[in-house]
Amino acid sequence: MTDFAARRRTMVDTQIRPSDVTKFPIIDAMLSVRRENFVPDAQREAAYVEGLLDLGNGRCLLEPRTLAKMLDALNISNDEVVLDIAPAMGYSTAVAAKMAQLVVAVEEDEELATEAQTVLMEADADNAIVHVGPLEQGATEHGPYDVILIQGGVEHVPDALLAQLKDHGRIACLFMDGELGTVRIGHKSGERVTWRHAFNANAPVLRAFSTDRVFSL
């Protein structure tokens, strides 16, 4: 039988801590959330590998390092409401739920959303909600949000999504320019979001956040 608990410890010790992520809530969440339960059964053995985990149809599970560094930069507190966009089966939602008051996951794939809801319930993530709908539209009924996370690459962020961010809220996005990716943290003040570079990473661009999608509307 695979010792997934040992693999989680190895992931944290070899991927998370060496990336200068040391905040206890993040380390604790990534040690306790069973990542292997948030991937298709055929990929459970690959759940803790370093790198992206391809879920098909242009979707992926971000590298553990990338998610951890995003959370580190966002510095979520336990009285905050988080919007998690494109979490697939909900791993990022479960991790963020260990730190936040409430996490609203937006998933447009109904099958993935159903699986996410089931696995989150099994993980006792009682402060997580799965909303089914277009990724770029967010979930206005549960907002505004203190923090927004997007689980995949973006080429643009729609104003409709930024409008759901509270004044003084934060958003983490992995902006892709060809093969090069940069995670930027946006801080909202009034109607303006100011972006700063955080670190380099890579992920496939989500269709909902591609430039081609914008031009096609």
Side-chain angles (χ1 to χ4, degrees):
M1 179 180 288
T2 302
D3 187 347
F4 286 115
R7 291 192 182 186
R8 277 195 298 283
R9 290 192 296 272
T10 299
M11 176 188 74
V12 168
D13 290 341
T14 63
Q15 299 182 52
I16 309 306
R17 295 184 196 275
S19 298
D20 296 324
V21 177
T22 58
K23 290 186 176 75
F24 174 78
I26 300 173
I27 298 296
D28 182 60
M30 299 194 93
L31 282 172
S32 60
V33 175
R34 298 179 177 182
R35 186 175 165 99
E36 71 274 12
N37 291 345
F38 292 87
V39 301
D41 288 342
Q43 293 178 285
R44 284 171 65 87
E45 290 295 326
Y48 294 96
V49 299
E50 187 170 357
L52 296 167
L53 189 60
D54 186 359
L55 301 177
N57 297 318
R59 302 295 296 277
C60 71
L61 202 58
L62 291 179
E63 291 186 64
R65 164 190 176 274
T66 299
L67 176 61
K69 288 177 71 66
M70 279 182 166
L71 294 170
D72 186 63
L74 291 167
N75 197 28
I76 298 168
S77 61
N78 61 11
D79 61 349
E80 291 187 314
V81 180
V82 176
L83 181 65
D84 190 23
I85 302 290
M89 289 176 63
Y91 174 70
S92 54
T93 302
V95 172
K98 293 286 187 181
M99 307 167 211
Q101 181 182 77
L102 173 69
V103 182
V104 179
V106 177
E107 183 50 65
E108 63 185 2
D109 185 307
E110 292 189 16
E111 184 176 340
L112 284 176
T114 298
E115 291 187 65
Q117 188 68 71
T118 299
V119 182
L120 286 165
M121 289 177 62
E122 291 172 350
D124 294 325
D126 299 330
N127 59 334
I129 297 171
V130 180
H131 172 91
V132 182
L135 303 179
E136 68 273 24
Q137 293 182 15
T140 56
E141 60 266 47
H142 300 291
Y145 301 94
D146 299 285
V147 172
I148 298 177
L149 280 148
I150 300 180
Q151 304 299 322
V154 308
E155 293 175 338
H156 78 103
V157 182
D159 290 340
L161 195 58
L162 295 175
Q164 295 174 46
L165 193 61
K166 286 183 182 178
D167 194 21
H168 303 300
R170 295 95 66 207
I171 180 171
C173 297
L174 202 179
F175 286 90
M176 295 298 298
D177 183 6
E179 298 298 317
L180 303 175
T182 301
V183 172
R184 297 174 191 161
I185 307 299
H187 293 263
K188 189 172 185 179
S189 179
E191 297 302 313
R192 182 179 179 184
V193 175
T194 302
W195 298 92
R196 66 171 178 81
H197 174 275
F199 60 95
N200 295 326
N202 287 281
V205 174
L206 294 162
R207 285 189 291 270
F209 299 98
S210 70
T211 303
D212 289 344
R213 176 74 170 266
V214 175
F215 289 155
S216 68
L217 295 179

Coordinates of all heavy atoms in Angstrom, one line a residue, residues 58-111:
G58 N -7.1 20.7 -21.3 CA -6.5 22.0 -21.0 C -6.5 22.4 -19.6 O -6.2 23.5 -19.2
R59 N -6.7 21.4 -18.7 CA -6.7 21.7 -17.3 C -5.6 21.0 -16.6 O -5.1 19.9 -17.1 CB -8.1 21.2 -16.7 CG -9.3 21.9 -17.3 CD -9.3 23.4 -17.0 NE -9.4 23.6 -15.6 CZ -10.6 23.6 -15.0 NH1 -11.7 23.4 -15.6 NH2 -10.7 23.9 -13.7
C60 N -5.1 21.5 -15.5 CA -4.0 20.9 -14.7 C -4.2 21.2 -13.3 O -4.9 22.1 -12.8 CB -2.7 21.4 -15.3 SG -2.4 23.1 -14.8
L61 N -3.4 20.5 -12.5 CA -3.2 20.8 -11.1 C -1.9 21.5 -11.0 O -0.8 21.0 -11.5 CB -3.1 19.5 -10.3 CG -3.4 19.6 -8.8 CD1 -4.8 20.1 -8.5 CD2 -3.3 18.2 -8.2
L62 N -1.9 22.7 -10.5 CA -0.7 23.5 -10.4 C 0.4 22.8 -9.6 O 0.1 22.0 -8.7 CB -0.9 24.9 -9.8 CG -1.8 25.9 -10.6 CD1 -1.9 27.2 -9.7 CD2 -1.2 26.2 -11.9
E63 N 1.7 23.1 -9.9 CA 2.7 22.6 -9.1 C 2.5 22.9 -7.6 O 2.0 24.0 -7.3 CB 4.1 23.2 -9.5 CG 4.6 22.8 -10.8 CD 6.0 23.3 -11.0 OE1 6.9 22.9 -10.3 OE2 6.2 24.1 -11.9
P64 N 2.8 22.0 -6.7 CA 2.6 22.3 -5.3 C 3.4 23.6 -4.9 O 2.9 24.4 -4.1 CB 3.2 21.1 -4.5 CG 3.0 20.0 -5.5 CD 3.2 20.6 -6.9
R65 N 4.6 23.8 -5.4 CA 5.4 24.9 -5.2 C 4.7 26.2 -5.6 O 4.7 27.2 -4.9 CB 6.7 24.8 -5.9 CG 7.5 26.1 -6.0 CD 8.7 26.0 -7.0 NE 9.4 27.2 -7.2 CZ 9.0 28.1 -8.1 NH1 8.0 27.9 -8.9 NH2 9.7 29.3 -8.2
T66 N 4.0 26.2 -6.8 CA 3.4 27.4 -7.3 C 2.2 27.7 -6.4 O 2.0 28.9 -6.0 CB 2.9 27.1 -8.7 OG1 4.0 26.8 -9.6 CG2 2.1 28.3 -9.3
L67 N 1.3 26.8 -6.0 CA 0.2 27.1 -5.2 C 0.7 27.6 -3.8 O 0.1 28.6 -3.3 CB -0.6 25.8 -5.0 CG -1.8 25.9 -4.0 CD1 -2.8 27.0 -4.5 CD2 -2.5 24.6 -3.8
A68 N 1.7 26.9 -3.2 CA 2.2 27.4 -1.9 C 2.7 28.8 -2.0 O 2.4 29.6 -1.0 CB 3.3 26.4 -1.4
K69 N 3.5 29.1 -3.0 CA 4.0 30.5 -3.1 C 2.9 31.5 -3.3 O 3.0 32.7 -2.9 CB 5.1 30.6 -4.2 CG 6.4 29.8 -3.7 CD 7.4 29.8 -4.8 CE 8.1 31.2 -5.1 NZ 8.9 31.7 -3.9
M70 N 1.9 31.2 -4.1 CA 0.7 32.1 -4.3 C 0.1 32.3 -2.9 O -0.2 33.5 -2.5 CB -0.3 31.4 -5.2 CG 0.0 31.5 -6.7 SD -1.4 30.8 -7.6 CE -1.1 31.4 -9.2
L71 N -0.1 31.3 -2.1 CA -0.8 31.4 -0.8 C 0.1 32.2 0.1 O -0.4 33.0 0.9 CB -1.1 30.0 -0.2 CG -2.1 29.2 -1.0 CD1 -2.2 27.8 -0.5 CD2 -3.5 29.9 -0.9
D72 N 1.4 32.0 0.0 CA 2.3 32.8 0.9 C 2.3 34.3 0.6 O 2.2 35.1 1.5 CB 3.8 32.2 0.6 CG 4.8 32.9 1.5 OD1 4.7 32.7 2.8 OD2 5.7 33.6 1.1
A73 N 2.2 34.6 -0.7 CA 2.1 36.0 -1.1 C 0.8 36.6 -0.7 O 0.7 37.8 -0.4 CB 2.4 36.1 -2.6
L74 N -0.3 35.9 -0.8 CA -1.6 36.4 -0.5 C -1.9 36.5 1.0 O -2.6 37.4 1.4 CB -2.7 35.5 -1.1 CG -2.8 35.5 -2.6 CD1 -3.6 34.3 -3.1 CD2 -3.4 36.8 -3.1
N75 N -1.2 35.7 1.8 CA -1.3 35.8 3.3 C -2.7 35.8 3.8 O -3.2 36.7 4.5 CB -0.5 37.0 3.8 CG -0.2 37.0 5.2 OD1 -0.1 35.9 5.8 ND2 -0.1 38.1 5.9
I76 N -3.5 34.7 3.5 CA -4.9 34.6 3.8 C -5.0 34.5 5.3 O -4.3 33.8 6.0 CB -5.5 33.4 3.1 CG1 -5.4 33.6 1.6 CG2 -7.0 33.2 3.6 CD1 -5.8 32.3 0.8
S77 N -6.0 35.2 5.9 CA -6.3 35.1 7.3 C -7.7 34.4 7.5 O -8.5 34.3 6.6 CB -6.3 36.5 8.0 OG -7.3 37.3 7.4
N78 N -7.9 34.0 8.7 CA -9.1 33.1 9.0 C -10.4 33.9 9.1 O -11.4 33.3 9.4 CB -8.8 32.3 10.3 CG -8.7 33.2 11.5 OD1 -8.9 34.4 11.5 ND2 -8.2 32.6 12.6
D79 N -10.4 35.2 8.8 CA -11.7 35.9 8.8 C -12.0 36.4 7.3 O -12.8 37.2 7.1 CB -11.6 37.1 9.7 CG -10.5 38.1 9.3 OD1 -9.6 37.8 8.5 OD2 -10.5 39.3 9.9
E80 N -11.3 35.8 6.3 CA -11.4 36.3 5.0 C -12.2 35.3 4.1 O -12.2 34.1 4.4 CB -10.0 36.5 4.3 CG -9.3 37.7 5.0 CD -8.1 38.1 4.3 OE1 -7.2 37.2 4.0 OE2 -7.9 39.3 4.0
V81 N -12.8 35.8 3.0 CA -13.6 35.0 2.1 C -12.8 35.0 0.8 O -12.3 36.0 0.3 CB -15.0 35.6 1.8 CG1 -15.7 34.8 0.8 CG2 -15.7 35.7 3.1
V82 N -12.6 33.7 0.3 CA -11.7 33.5 -0.9 C -12.5 33.0 -2.1 O -13.4 32.1 -1.9 CB -10.6 32.5 -0.5 CG1 -9.7 32.1 -1.7 CG2 -9.7 33.0 0.6
L83 N -12.2 33.5 -3.3 CA -12.8 33.0 -4.5 C -11.7 32.2 -5.2 O -10.6 32.7 -5.5 CB -13.3 34.1 -5.4 CG -13.9 33.7 -6.7 CD1 -15.2 32.9 -6.5 CD2 -14.2 35.0 -7.6
D84 N -11.9 30.9 -5.4 CA -10.9 30.0 -6.1 C -11.5 29.6 -7.4 O -12.4 28.8 -7.5 CB -10.7 28.8 -5.2 CG -9.5 27.9 -5.6 OD1 -8.7 28.4 -6.3 OD2 -9.5 26.7 -5.3
I85 N -10.8 30.1 -8.5 CA -11.3 29.9 -9.8 C -10.6 28.7 -10.5 O -9.4 28.6 -10.4 CB -11.1 31.1 -10.7 CG1 -11.7 32.4 -10.1 CG2 -11.5 30.9 -12.1 CD1 -13.2 32.3 -10.2
A86 N -11.4 27.8 -11.1 CA -10.9 26.6 -11.8 C -10.1 25.6 -10.9 O -9.0 25.2 -11.3 CB -10.0 27.0 -13.0
P87 N -10.7 25.2 -9.8 CA -9.9 24.3 -8.9 C -10.0 22.8 -9.3 O -9.5 22.0 -8.6 CB -10.6 24.5 -7.6 CG -12.0 24.7 -8.0 CD -12.0 25.6 -9.3
A88 N -10.7 22.5 -10.4 CA -10.8 21.1 -10.9 C -11.5 20.3 -9.8 O -12.6 20.6 -9.4 CB -9.5 20.5 -11.3
M89 N -10.9 19.3 -9.2 CA -11.5 18.5 -8.2 C -11.4 19.1 -6.8 O -11.8 18.4 -5.8 CB -10.9 17.1 -8.2 CG -11.4 16.3 -9.5 SD -10.6 14.6 -9.6 CE -11.2 13.8 -8.1
G90 N -10.8 20.3 -6.7 CA -10.9 21.0 -5.4 C -9.7 21.0 -4.5 O -9.8 21.4 -3.3
Y91 N -8.5 20.6 -5.0 CA -7.4 20.5 -4.1 C -7.1 21.9 -3.5 O -6.9 22.1 -2.3 CB -6.2 19.9 -4.8 CG -4.9 20.0 -3.9 CD1 -4.8 19.2 -2.8 CD2 -3.9 20.9 -4.2 CE1 -3.6 19.2 -2.0 CE2 -2.7 20.9 -3.4 CZ -2.6 20.1 -2.3 OH -1.5 20.2 -1.5
S92 N -6.9 22.9 -4.4 CA -6.6 24.2 -3.9 C -7.6 24.8 -3.0 O -7.3 25.5 -2.0 CB -6.4 25.2 -5.1 OG -7.5 25.2 -6.0
T93 N -8.9 24.5 -3.3 CA -10.0 24.9 -2.4 C -9.8 24.3 -1.0 O -10.0 25.0 0.0 CB -11.3 24.5 -3.0 OG1 -11.5 25.0 -4.3 CG2 -12.5 25.0 -2.1
A94 N -9.5 23.0 -0.9 CA -9.3 22.4 0.4 C -8.2 23.0 1.2 O -8.3 23.2 2.4 CB -9.1 20.9 0.2
V95 N -7.1 23.3 0.5 CA -5.9 23.9 1.1 C -6.3 25.3 1.6 O -6.0 25.6 2.8 CB -4.7 23.9 0.2 CG1 -3.6 24.7 0.8 CG2 -4.2 22.5 -0.2
A96 N -6.9 26.1 0.8 CA -7.2 27.5 1.2 C -8.3 27.5 2.3 O -8.2 28.3 3.2 CB -7.8 28.2 0.0
A97 N -9.1 26.5 2.3 CA -10.2 26.4 3.3 C -9.6 26.2 4.7 O -10.2 26.5 5.7 CB -11.2 25.3 3.0
K98 N -8.3 25.7 4.8 CA -7.7 25.5 6.1 C -7.3 26.8 6.7 O -6.9 26.9 7.9 CB -6.4 24.6 5.9 CG -6.7 23.2 5.5 CD -7.2 22.4 6.7 CE -7.3 20.9 6.4 NZ -7.9 20.1 7.5
M99 N -7.2 27.9 5.8 CA -6.8 29.2 6.3 C -7.8 30.2 6.4 O -7.8 31.2 7.1 CB -5.7 29.7 5.3 CG -4.6 28.7 5.1 SD -3.5 29.2 3.7 CE -3.0 27.6 3.2
A100 N -8.9 30.1 5.5 CA -9.9 31.1 5.3 C -11.1 30.9 6.1 O -11.4 29.8 6.6 CB -10.2 31.3 3.9
Q101 N -12.0 31.9 6.2 CA -13.3 31.7 6.8 C -14.2 30.9 5.9 O -15.0 30.1 6.3 CB -13.9 33.1 7.1 CG -15.3 33.0 7.8 CD -15.9 34.4 8.0 OE1 -16.4 35.1 7.1 NE2 -15.8 34.8 9.3
L102 N -14.1 31.3 4.6 CA -15.0 30.6 3.5 C -14.2 30.6 2.2 O -13.6 31.6 1.9 CB -16.3 31.4 3.4 CG -17.2 30.9 2.3 CD1 -17.8 29.5 2.6 CD2 -18.4 31.9 2.1
V103 N -14.4 29.6 1.5 CA -13.8 29.5 0.1 C -14.9 29.1 -0.8 O -15.6 28.1 -0.6 CB -12.6 28.5 0.0 CG1 -12.1 28.5 -1.4 CG2 -11.6 28.8 1.0
V104 N -15.1 29.9 -1.9 CA -16.1 29.6 -2.9 C -15.3 29.2 -4.2 O -14.5 30.0 -4.7 CB -16.9 30.9 -3.3 CG1 -17.9 30.6 -4.4 CG2 -17.7 31.4 -2.0
A105 N -15.5 27.9 -4.6 CA -14.8 27.4 -5.8 C -15.7 27.5 -7.0 O -16.9 27.2 -6.9 CB -14.5 25.9 -5.5
V106 N -15.2 28.1 -8.1 CA -16.0 28.2 -9.3 C -15.4 27.2 -10.3 O -14.2 27.3 -10.7 CB -15.9 29.6 -9.9 CG1 -16.7 29.7 -11.2 CG2 -16.5 30.6 -8.9
E107 N -16.3 26.3 -10.8 CA -15.8 25.3 -11.7 C -16.9 25.2 -12.8 O -18.1 25.0 -12.5 CB -15.7 23.9 -11.1 CG -15.2 22.8 -12.0 CD -14.0 23.2 -12.8 OE1 -12.9 23.4 -12.2 OE2 -14.1 23.3 -14.0
E108 N -16.5 25.3 -14.1 CA -17.5 25.3 -15.2 C -17.8 23.9 -15.7 O -18.8 23.6 -16.3 CB -17.0 26.2 -16.3 CG -15.7 25.7 -17.0 CD -15.2 26.6 -18.1 OE1 -15.9 27.7 -18.2 OE2 -14.2 26.3 -18.7
D109 N -16.9 22.9 -15.4 CA -17.1 21.5 -15.8 C -17.9 20.9 -14.7 O -17.5 20.7 -13.6 CB -15.7 20.8 -15.9 CG -15.8 19.4 -16.4 OD1 -16.6 18.6 -15.8 OD2 -15.1 19.1 -17.4
E110 N -19.2 20.5 -15.1 CA -20.1 20.0 -14.1 C -19.6 18.7 -13.5 O -19.9 18.5 -12.3 CB -21.5 19.8 -14.8 CG -22.2 21.1 -15.1 CD -23.6 20.9 -15.6 OE1 -24.2 19.8 -15.3 OE2 -24.2 21.8 -16.2
E111 N -19.0 17.8 -14.3 CA -18.5 16.6 -13.7 C -17.4 16.8 -12.7 O -17.4 16.2 -11.6 CB -17.9 15.7 -14.8 CG -17.5 14.3 -14.4 CD -17.0 13.4 -15.5 OE1 -17.4 13.7 -16.7 OE2 -16.3 12.4 -15.2

